[in-house]
C-alpha cells in the first residue's frame, strides 16, 4: 500500500499542475478511488471527481469532497446555471474512470450519454484511461471484449484488469488494478497523449511545458532488481535490491518518449504501462537477455544489482542440516557492464552503470567507471537507511567519463531517474566526448 502521508511533489512529475478528472462507477473496488485521488494529489495534480449513482452506493461523495476540498458532481441536473455538464471534461488534462464497470464501458463504446459521467466522457477530448473491474464472466463476455477493443482502437488506454480475488469469494481476471498502477497509466496517457498511439502523434493540445519528449524514438534497455544464484532448489544467494530504481527509470524514460525494454530480476513491482519486460532470475540469464536485446538499444542503463558470484554446482536436491555445514564453492559471474564496455566500438550504445558503495563512495565510483568502460556511473552510498536498497528515495552522484560530476540530493527515485536521464540526454547531444560538468554539477559546452 502506498504511503499516503505528506509527500514532497516531485518537480518533474508530468502530473504536477495538471487537472485529472476521476470518474468513479459502481463496483466494490470504488473505495480504492479515494487512494488514487490522494496519489494524484501527491504527484501535484488537481483531482476532481464525478461519482455515478452506482459509485455513490459504494463510497460517499463526502469522502471525495473531504479529499479534494471541492464539490463532487453526481447529476447532470445539478448547478445548471453554474457549470455545464461538459465543463469538467473540457477542463481536464486527462480523465480516468476507476473503476470502470462493464455498463460504463458499454455506454462509452455506444456513445450513450444518460448521466453526468457519460456526457462528460463524450465531451472530453483529452486522453482517457479506463480501469475495468467486474466479475470474470462479465469481463470475458464477447460484448465487453468488443467494447474494450473498440475503445482501445479509439485511443483509450485500458489498464488492467488484474487476475485475483473478486467479490463474493470469486477469483479470476476482473480485479481492479491497484491505485499506483492506475496513477502510472494516467501519467503515461498525459505525457504521450495516449500510450497506444504511435510516437509521431502530435502533443495533445494543452500538454504544457511539463511534457518533455527528449528521448523520443530512443531505444533504452534497462536492467533492474537483484539476481538470485541457486544453492539448491530452495536456497539462493541474493541481495537487497528491490528493482525500484530501475522501474522508476523505465517509467521516466517511457514518459520522455523512449521505447523501453526492461530486464528485471525477481520483483514484485508492476511493469510500467507500455514497457516491454523480460523476467530473469540469475546473472547468467540476465547476461543472455541483455546480449539478446543489445543490438536494438541506443542506451543501456544497468541499474540491476547483479550477483558477482554464483555457486559452481547448485545441489539438485535440498541440502540437509544433518549432512553438516556445506562448503559452497563460488565462481565469478560475467560482469555484463564491463563486457559491454569492452566490446562496443566507439560510443554506441551509451552505457550507464550503477554502483552501490559503502566506503570511499566517489573514489570507488570513479575507478569503477574507468574499469567498466561506461559513459556514466550513478554512485550511491548505501550505508544510510534513506537511500539505496528497499526504500523509495535515493541520493546519488552521477559521474561521467569526461570527469564531470552531478550531485543529486535525497529525492524520490522518480526524480533521481529524471536527473539520470537528463545526463543521458546531455551526453547523447554532445557526442562521443560528452558534455562536461563542473564540480557543482553545472553543465558546460562539450569539448
Ligand atoms: O562491480 P559492481 O557490482 O559494483 O558494479 C555495478 C554495475 O555493474 C551495475 O551497473 C551493475 O548492473 C553492473 N554489473 C554487471 N554485471 C555484474 C556485476 C555488476 O553488469 N556481474
Amino acid at each position: 500500500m502506498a504511503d499516503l502521508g505528506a509527500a514532497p511533489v516531485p518537480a518533474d512529475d508530468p502530473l504536477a499542475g495538471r487537472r485529472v478528472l476521476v470518474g468513479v462507477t459502481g463496483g466494490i473496488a470504488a473505495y480504492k478511488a479515494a487512494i488514487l485521488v490522494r496519489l494524484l494529489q501527491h504527484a501535484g495534480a488537481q483531482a476532481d471527481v464525478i461519482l455515478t449513482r452506482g459509485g455513490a452506493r459504494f463510497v460517499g461523495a463526502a469522502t471525495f469532497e473531504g479529499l479534494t476540498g471541492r464539490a463532487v458532481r453526481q447529476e447532470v441536473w445539478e448547478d445548471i446555471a453554474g457549470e455545464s455538464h461538459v465543463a469538467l471534461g473540457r477542463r481536464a488534462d486527462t480523465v480516468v474512470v476507476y473503476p470502470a464497470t462493464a455498463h460504463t464501458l458499454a455506454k462509452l463504446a455506444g456513445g450513450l450519454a444518460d448521466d453526468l459521467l457519460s456526457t462528460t466522457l463524450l465531451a472530453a477530448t483529452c486522453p482517457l484511461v479506463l480501469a475495468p473491474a467486474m466479475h470474470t464472466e462479465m469481463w470475458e463476455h464477447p460484448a465487453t471484449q468488443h467494447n474494450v477493443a473498440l475503445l482501445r482502437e479509439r485511443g483509450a488506454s485500458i489498464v488492467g484488469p488484474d487476475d485475483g480475488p473478486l467479490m463474493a469469494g470469486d477469483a479470476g481476471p476482473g480485479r481492479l488494478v491497484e491505485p499506483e498502477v492506475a496513477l502510472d497509466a494516467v501519467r503515461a496517457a498525459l505525457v504521450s497523449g495516449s500510450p497506444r498511439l504511435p510516437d509521431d502523434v502530435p502533443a495533445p493540445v494543452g500538454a504544457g511545458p511539463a511534457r518533455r519528449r527528449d528521448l523520443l524514438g530512443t531505444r533504452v534497455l534497462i536492467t533492474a532488481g537483484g539476481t538470485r544464484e541457486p544453492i539448491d532448489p530452495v536456497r539462493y544467494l541474493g541481495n537487497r535490491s528491490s528493482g525500484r530504481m530501475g522501474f522508476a527509470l523505465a517509467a521516466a524514460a517511457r514518459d520522455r518518449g523512449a521505447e523501453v525494454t526492461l530486464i528485471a530480476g525477481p520483483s514484485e513491482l508492476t511493469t510500467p504501462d507500455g514497457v516491454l519486460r523480460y523476467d530473469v532470475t540469475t546473472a547468467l540469464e540476465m547476461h543472455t537477455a541483455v546480449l539478446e536485446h543489445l543490438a536494438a538499444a541506443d542506451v543501456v542503463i544497468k541499474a540491476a544489482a547483479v550477483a558477482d558470484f554464483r555457486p559452481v554446482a547448485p545441489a539438485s536436491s535440498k541440502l540437509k542440516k544433518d549432512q553438516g555445514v556445506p562448503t559452497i564453492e563460488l565462481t565469478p559471474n560475467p560482469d555484463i557492464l564491463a563486457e559491454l564496455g569492452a566490446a562496443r566500438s566507439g560510443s554506441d550504445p551509451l552505457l550507464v552503470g550503477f554502483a552501490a558503495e559503502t566506503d570511499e563512495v566517489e573514489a570507488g565510483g570513479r575507478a569503477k567507471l574507468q574499469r567498466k568502460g561506461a559513459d556514466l556511473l550513478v554512485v550511491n552510498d548505501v550505508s544510510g537507511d534513506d537511500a539505496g536498497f528497499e526504500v523509495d528515495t535515493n541520493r546519488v552522484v552521477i559521474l561521467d567519463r569526461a570527469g564531470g560530476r552531478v550531485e543529486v540530493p535525497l529525492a524520490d527515485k522518480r526524480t533521481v531517474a529524471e536527473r539520470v536521464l537528463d545526463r543521458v540526454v546531455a551526453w547523447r547531444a554532445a557526442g562521443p566526448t560528452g558534455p562536461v560538468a563542473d564540480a557543482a554539477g553545472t553543465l558546460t559546452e562539450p569539448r
Side-chain angles (χ1 to χ4, degrees), residues 361-362 377-380 395-399 405-408:
V361 176
E362 219 168 307
L377 193 85
V378 184
V379 202
N380 58 337
R395 179 193 298 111
V396 305
V397 179
I398 309 170
L399 304 176
R405 71 188 287 285
V406 170
E407 244 179 82
V408 184

Side-chain angles (χ1 to χ4, degrees), residues 223 302-308 333-337 352-357 368 371-372:
T223 65
K302 294 228 63 251
V306 186
D308 290 323
N333 274 324
D335 188 321
I336 308 168
L337 181 60
V352 184
F354 270 70
E357 305 281 343
K368 204 165 277 184
R371 199 166 63 241
K372 304 229 179 198

